[in-house]
Amino acid sequence: MADLQNMPPIKIDTEQLKKWGSRWLSDKNEETGKMKEESSFDRQQSVNFAQFIDLAFGNAISKMLGDIEVVTPTFSSLLPVQPDVVEVGPVRIVGGVRPQNFDAAYRPDGPRIVFDSKTLNEEKSIGKNWQNMINDLGTEATTVHTRFPYALVIFFVVLPKPALNPKQERDLIRTLERLGSRVSVLDQHHLAEAISMVVWDPETGQIDENSPPLSSPLRFEKVHKIIEELYLDRYKGLPPHD
């Protein structure tokens, strides 16, 4: 049994973001050799882009949970490979609406923390698909909370700054703030416990310091504290924790 610790801030590697920014800006996929549109990812890049962010999240909650091991889940398995580990990779959760793969999870006795990173990677995609993404977030939260009301559902929404116009940015912030407001287990199932909106610069790899606003609960530097407080409130003193 491990002692719970303070959750450290989640660290998204600037150099990794800058490397992916170079790929985003390029007109060619360096791995496949195929041409692509500038200022966008192709399908293969979109699938792989956020994996290092998923791992950063997994490492941070691992520290909070007593520095437990971070492992890769077995594909489609409904149980972790070991009893008390953080899983990073496609984690299968059978919820009340549908089975759903999440990008990371902690599920020692069923899901306690589930995490998904969502990316929209070009201007056209953001304009066309951001409302569909919001629907997906609500459905994913619902499918978990209807079966596991004590579970923490966490989302990161990751967007390149040049592809985000000001109106869409404002609309996204307002909508995500409403959606990421679940504090009590009695709150509505479609709400998430925490959402972080990460706006990044492909040229520098830096996360935008001004978006969302400093007062917003979507700020990336706030999410670890929200997770820690809610997890302690719901699970402190329960096995497998001392």
Side-chain angles (χ1 to χ4, degrees), residues 75-145:
F75 182 72
S76 295
S77 174
L78 301 182
L79 296 172
V81 294
Q82 298 166 230
D84 190 25
V85 292
V86 172
E87 298 167 283
V88 176
V91 182
R92 193 72 162 170
I93 304 294
V94 178
V97 178
R98 66 187 187 193
Q100 178 72 42
N101 285 341
F102 287 85
D103 293 320
Y106 177 60
R107 47 179 183 164
D109 52 0
R112 293 191 181 189
I113 300 174
V114 296
F115 167 83
D116 232 8
S117 57
K118 302 293 186 184
T119 63
L120 294 174
N121 297 310
E122 58 184 87
E123 185 174 0
K124 182 166 57 176
S125 176
I126 294 174
K128 182 179 178 181
N129 295 320
W130 78 267
Q131 290 178 318
N132 291 333
M133 180 195 69
I134 295 296
N135 292 338
D136 289 342
L137 298 182
T139 302
E140 289 184 23
T142 298
T143 200
V144 174
H145 287 143

Side-chain angles (χ1 to χ4, degrees), residues 23-233:
R23 295 168 178 169
W24 187 84
L25 292 164
S26 175
D27 64 355
K28 185 178 181 180
N29 183 323
E30 61 186 26
E31 293 185 3
T32 65
K34 295 180 179 180
M35 304 305 293
K36 68 173 193 65
E37 291 186 17
E38 296 179 359
S39 301
S40 69
F41 290 139
D42 64 18
R43 182 172 178 80
Q44 184 251 11
Q45 291 171 326
S46 294
V47 169
N48 295 328
F49 163 54
Q51 290 178 356
F52 76 99
I53 298 174
D54 303 338
L55 183 58
F57 177 85
N59 287 335
I61 63 168
S62 160
K63 294 291 184 185
M64 180 186 73
L65 296 167
D67 209 15
I68 62 176
E69 189 176 357
V70 178
V71 302
T72 301
T74 302
F75 182 72
S76 295
S77 174
L78 301 182
L79 296 172
V81 294
Q82 298 166 230
D84 190 25
V85 292
V86 172
E87 298 167 283
V88 176
V91 182
R92 193 72 162 170
I93 304 294
V94 178
V97 178
R98 66 187 187 193
Q100 178 72 42
N101 285 341
F102 287 85
D103 293 320
Y106 177 60
R107 47 179 183 164
D109 52 0
R112 293 191 181 189
I113 300 174
V114 296
F115 167 83
D116 232 8
S117 57
K118 302 293 186 184
T119 63
L120 294 174
N121 297 310
E122 58 184 87
E123 185 174 0
K124 182 166 57 176
S125 176
I126 294 174
K128 182 179 178 181
N129 295 320
W130 78 267
Q131 290 178 318
N132 291 333
M133 180 195 69
I134 295 296
N135 292 338
D136 289 342
L137 298 182
T139 302
E140 289 184 23
T142 298
T143 200
V144 174
H145 287 143
T146 49
R147 283 199 68 199
F148 308 100
Y150 280 78
L152 277 66
V153 177
I154 316 298
F155 296 115
F156 281 8
V157 176
V158 186
L159 308 158
K161 182 69 173 180
L164 188 60
N165 74 49
K167 182 181 185 306
Q168 288 167 343
E169 189 171 4
R170 292 191 299 270
D171 290 344
L172 264 168
I173 289 169
R174 284 195 296 265
T175 305
L176 292 174
E177 284 179 346
R178 290 194 298 270
L179 194 61
S181 61
R182 191 173 189 265
V183 176
S184 167
V185 297
L186 300 178
D187 287 342
Q188 297 177 74
H189 290 154
H190 73 279
L191 302 176
E193 273 67 19
I195 298 177
S196 184
M197 181 171 163
V198 179
V199 181
W200 64 287
D201 184 345
E203 294 278 358
T204 65
Q206 297 291 328
I207 295 174
D208 194 318
E209 295 182 353
N210 299 311
S211 179
L214 291 175
S215 59
S216 174
L218 304 177
R219 294 285 298 189
F220 178 66
E221 65 271 20
K222 296 180 180 181
V223 67
H224 70 288
K225 282 297 184 184
I226 297 172
I227 295 169
E228 178 186 316
E229 290 173 7
L230 290 176
Y231 189 86
L232 289 177
D233 180 60

